[in-house]
Amino acid sequence: MSPLEIRPATLADMVRLTEIYADAVTSGTASYELEPPTQAEMASRFNDMVKGGYPYLVAIREGTIVGYAYVNAFRARPAYRFIVENSIYVAPEAKGGGIATALMHALVDQCEQLGFRQILAVIGDGSKSSPSVRLHEKLGFQHAGTLVGTGWKHGRWLDTVLMQLPLNGGNATDPDPQSEPEIRFREQLRLKTAD
């Protein structure tokens, strides 16, 4: 098997990422979207995440994007600024090849470097046998709760599992004032008061 390259995503990747996500929406239960977004919508979402300073990665094997992962704000309110929520999608033909694990390791490393304190996984169809639940368990995520019957997709109710991975000391210490989330927050405050 050829080596896997992981790099930051670009707008030029949106054609392939839209294809991968469309399969997840139409065939799977990881996403609670019912209709696949357009390439323009995917590009808009990508731009918002990159503008917000959140990592967005792609995995490439033999010149083809085979998966992607990103984090985004867990919630918009500023007290949540140290917490991110991850998402990961692998092309159907590439599942089971270690791509999700490699992407998640790279994503966790970047989140640690930026100074985030928690990564949350909000897993649709979070049954115990779910590949996503097993992946997150393998990476050290802890179960934080289950929301029962929160999604209706493909003719059945789906549970949502919440999992959590502490980073940089989690909640055991105060946030680093030089972390990326804190620097961005102070810059937003400065801009707000300058208006």
Side-chain angles (χ1 to χ4, degrees):
M1 190 174 295
S2 63
L4 190 66
E5 173 193 355
I6 295 177
R7 64 159 171 79
T10 68
L11 269 178
D13 299 327
M14 289 304 115
V15 172
R16 179 65 174 146
L17 302 192
T18 301
E19 292 171 356
I20 293 170
Y21 188 60
D23 178 74
V25 170
T26 58
S27 302
T29 52
S31 170
Y32 282 8
E33 289 195 75
L34 301 177
E35 297 294 328
T38 65
Q39 183 180 330
E41 174 60 23
M42 291 286 287
S44 175
R45 294 175 188 184
F46 168 78
N47 283 332
D48 288 345
M49 285 181 244
V50 170
K51 183 180 171 186
Y54 299 105
Y56 200 126
L57 305 173
V58 295
I60 300 168
R61 182 165 278 149
E62 296 177 1
T64 300
I65 294 173
V66 291
Y68 68 100
Y70 60 84
V71 296
N72 201 359
F74 173 63
R75 296 283 185 268
R77 293 189 171 91
Y80 287 114
R81 67 189 174 275
F82 297 101
I83 314 302
V84 290
E85 179 182 338
N86 79 282
S87 294
I88 183 161
Y89 298 96
V90 175
E93 69 278 5
K95 290 182 178 176
I99 294 161
T101 301
L103 277 166
M104 282 299 297
H105 278 298
L107 194 62
V108 168
D109 287 348
Q110 286 198 13
C111 288
E112 280 188 313
Q113 290 170 19
L114 291 169
F116 291 109
R117 300 308 283 270
Q118 303 277 345
I119 299 179
L120 299 181
V122 180
I123 302 170
D125 191 15
S127 64
K128 290 179 183 175
S129 64
S130 161
S132 187
V133 169
R134 290 194 320 263
L135 168 69
H136 286 84
E137 287 172 341
K138 182 170 70 173
L139 295 169
F141 282 71
Q142 298 297 311
H143 287 266
T146 301
L147 306 172
V148 177
T150 51
W152 176 259
K153 190 169 181 182
H154 301 309
R156 64 187 176 105
W157 287 107
L158 303 172
D159 295 345
T160 302
V161 168
L162 305 175
M163 298 182 78
Q164 182 173 1
L165 179 69
L167 305 173
N168 298 313
N171 65 346
T173 61
D174 290 346
D176 179 356
Q178 298 307 313
S179 67
E180 189 66 23
E182 188 62 15
I183 291 168
R184 285 181 177 275
F185 174 66
R186 287 196 313 263
E187 179 62 14
Q188 289 170 350
L189 286 179
R190 187 189 68 74
L191 292 173
K192 209 181 259 188
T193 56
D195 286 344

